[in-house]
Amino acid sequence: MASEATAEKFRALTPSEFFYRNRELAGFSNPARALYQAVRELVENALDATDPHGIHPTIKVILQKVSAERDNIFSISVEDNGIGIPSAQVPRAFGQLLYSSKYVLRQTRGMFGLGAKMAVLYGQMTTGKSVEVLTSTITAKNIYYFNIAIDVKTNTPIIHEKGVYRKNNGWHGTVVKLYLEGDWTRSKSKIYEYLKRTAIIAPYAEIVFEDPDGTITYFERSTRKMPPPPREVKPHPKGVDIEMMKMMLKATKAKTLLEFLIKEFQSIGEVTARRLIKNAGLLPDMKPHELSTEDVERLVRVIKSDTKIKPPSANHLSYVGEEIIKVGLKAILKPEFVTAVTRKPSVYEGHAFIVEAGLAYGGEIQPEDRPVLYRYANKIPLLYDEGADVARKVVDRIDWSHYGVTFPAPLVILVHICSTKVPYKGVGKESVADVPEVEHEMELAIREVARRLKRYLSKKKREREEAERAVAIAKYIPDVARGLAKIVNNVKEEMIEKELLKMLNMKLKSFKINSVSDVVVSIE
Amino acid sequence: MSYMSAVDVKARKKALKKIERAFSKLVKDILSGKAPTLVIRKRTLANTVFDAERGLLRIGNATLRRSFLNAGEAKKFMQTVLIASIIHEALKNDEYPTIRDLYYRGKHTIRFRDLVTSRIREENTWDEQKESDSVIRDLEVLIDMLREEMLILSKEKGKVVGDMRIKSGDDIIDLSKMGHGAYSIEPTPDFIEFKDVNAEFVLVIEKDAVFQQLHRAGFWKKYKALLITSAGQPDRATRRFVRRLSDELGLPIYILTDADPYGWYIYSVFKVGSITLSYESERLATPSARFLGVSMIDIFGSDKLKKKPYLTEAERKNYIIKATDTDIKRAKELKSYEWFRTKRWLEEINIFLKKKAKLEIEALTSKGLRFLMDTYIPEKIETGDWIA
């Protein structure tokens, strides 16, 4: 009854009105958080317009104080070199909530395509100013300019101004500029941290940031390799519940149950399909719509308990990949050692997910009392609620001394989960919940990179010890050679020195000493 | 023309040859690609053997292999080669370095790059003299020669007077014509030639002051003795000199020390040798040496041996010094040494541990120099009241 009443109330509000009243849900709770959130939403849209389409992102972010008198009003301008927005769709893309190109079944950074419009709405609310958009698609002959506001009462776009310009260069992409109330002092460190972590996970992007103080930061593109683009994919059988199975049975064009299982799901071939049908006590030739509720329940139960079905393919998930994670960590953190692992896809409650872990150690990383954790979900850095995140729990549970690390130590752990449905904790979407399958995968991933660190550290230790032993001998070679040459007639000091160094080098495994003078500087 | 004595010239040739032979082998190894290794007998307590039959300490057969290509041994190896080359050079240049000289000649700074940190660091070939002294001893064991035979000098400590003529260098010295002084026993006593002697026994005294008193009072003339002092712990020259007097002249050796573990150990160094220099005992120890006193029984007497004490109750009260914890500890250590585990010595040590009392020889001169000279010493020698 209560839920019906609530639903009734929701229907009375337009989405614009609803979000206008509940803006903290989307992360616009105060001026500091709002400024950070707006930057983030626009940057993520820019990335979504580029990398899934095979374009190396070039993103320019300019944050400025609008006037000298009011130091809490800012303009944000984000420019990308993406696929652009067809001119007909621009008004709704920025001026109508719950309209988005993201309503397809594949993994993207944002979940609802809502963020940028919340930023527009928040800006309009706090400054009365509308959003300006300049865009052109790859094939368009023109560049389009819009000045748009949202009519909150009707959830429709109001076009204040529109312009069309002949395109005489090959430019494509989008520039979005909006005005909002913010707090730079209190959001500065978060915005910088956000951009740094974005640069780590997307080292194939180049990002320029000009902040309100006029400081320009350039995150260089450090690789041209990009992650595989996300693709649409048929559902995995383990991710389908009874209700969804019923809907699929009703909608399918397959003539038989056997054909249905093979055609509509991934990871099911004829052998598997026949086994599942047999175990559910059904017949391969049954027509899909003839299955009773009990039949469907049995079939779903059999699928859930079957252990031989292949795990979902990673094809539709856009994981970052070991190489790109390593490049990103190396470029930004300048560590001494870096490694990364991409786990095989796994499933929780029927949803495929991939966990990736990266590890950076030493170099320019500052030692801390515990591992520094960089969390990502679908390539978005998560900066808030770290304490509640399952990744933090896993990292803290590990006995790092087992891996040769004693704190304080310069250790950064990166954990990335990608999924068509990330199991967020709470509405803030800033931390990942303690789902056992996810926790398990994270632990395996982190332990794997930790093991590699241990191997590196012990190899380094062995090499250091060998170098120490070699020096402990080499530094005395001149004195021994000279002493022996003095005692024994007709033997040259250089000859003895050469032979001793040769014998020492034969014992060394990890390096050689070219000349005694590399070690002995002088004898005084 | 050379001003050097003939014995020195001969000694130099021999030492040079021995050093060259040992290190030529090492060079040959190196040039044929064999890891250079020095094999040296160990100078440790565990490798010190008491030869009961001959009554002296000897170095055992355990050896240590000092390989240059072993990081833990490289420095000692270098130091051994370094000291050998310095001694070799000194022999060639007709020099007489002291062990202190050798320390300074070998001490220099190696500046080297630490390959791990790339920092330049410094290290001395050695920092303290005990490091260079230690490799000198290794070299002695390695080439089976005493450092004195390599013409390395040390401070003269021991002194001797008596009715005896010796040849030192190219000079004849009359040990009965030293005035109030005495002949300092040279660091190379093997080069001394005994000419003629008119003495019946040798008295070795730990304390220089007591030696001087007996010398001036004419003890050696009156009792036909050779009088020697080690002035504390005996150096090698004094020990070698005493040994030669025993071996070559057949004179009985009596040793007079303080009545405490320190004095006992001085006696034991004369008699059986020292633990740290056990390789030298063959030439330095005098197994026939006798401990004349001062014994615990001299102080306290013994009902069992029916001996009266030399001191009265009142004298004991004045002269006895309370033993320290270190003395007690040292006494217990001596008790564990095989050569102290005789009936008579255990008796001595046990009295000491019981009474916790010690006494200096000076206490006897306090009782009266005449008492020491004309009663205590002659009486004990005459009645055979010593510990063998």
Side-chain angles (χ1 to χ4, degrees), chain A residues 2 18-19 52 104 178 197 299 307 312-313 363 383 408 424 438 449 465:
Chain A
F18 176 77
F19 284 107
V104 288
L178 55 83
R197 294 199 192 180
L299 180 61
T307 53
S313 96
L383 267 67
Y424 288 112
V438 172
V449 290
E465 283 167 356

Side-chain angles (χ1 to χ4, degrees), chain A residues 102-171:
Chain A
K102 287 176 184 170
Y103 284 116
V104 288
L105 290 171
R106 71 177 176 199
Q107 173 209 341
T108 51
R109 288 184 172 83
M111 286 296 287
F112 305 114
L114 182 68
K117 277 168 283 196
M118 272 310 299
V120 172
L121 191 59
Y122 176 84
Q124 187 177 314
M125 221 170 81
T126 52
T127 67
K129 292 200 178 199
S130 42
V131 62
E132 295 171 79
V133 179
L134 199 68
T135 188
S136 182
T137 60
I138 294 165
T139 52
K141 292 191 171 63
N142 300 315
I143 296 171
Y144 299 90
Y145 169 78
F146 290 87
N147 185 319
I148 308 159
I150 300 173
D151 184 334
V152 178
K153 282 277 171 244
T154 59
N155 189 28
T156 48
I158 304 165
I159 303 168
H160 286 313
E161 214 183 320
K162 185 183 172 181
V164 182
Y165 308 96
R166 193 93 199 133
K167 184 158 75 173
N168 50 20
N169 53 9
W171 185 79

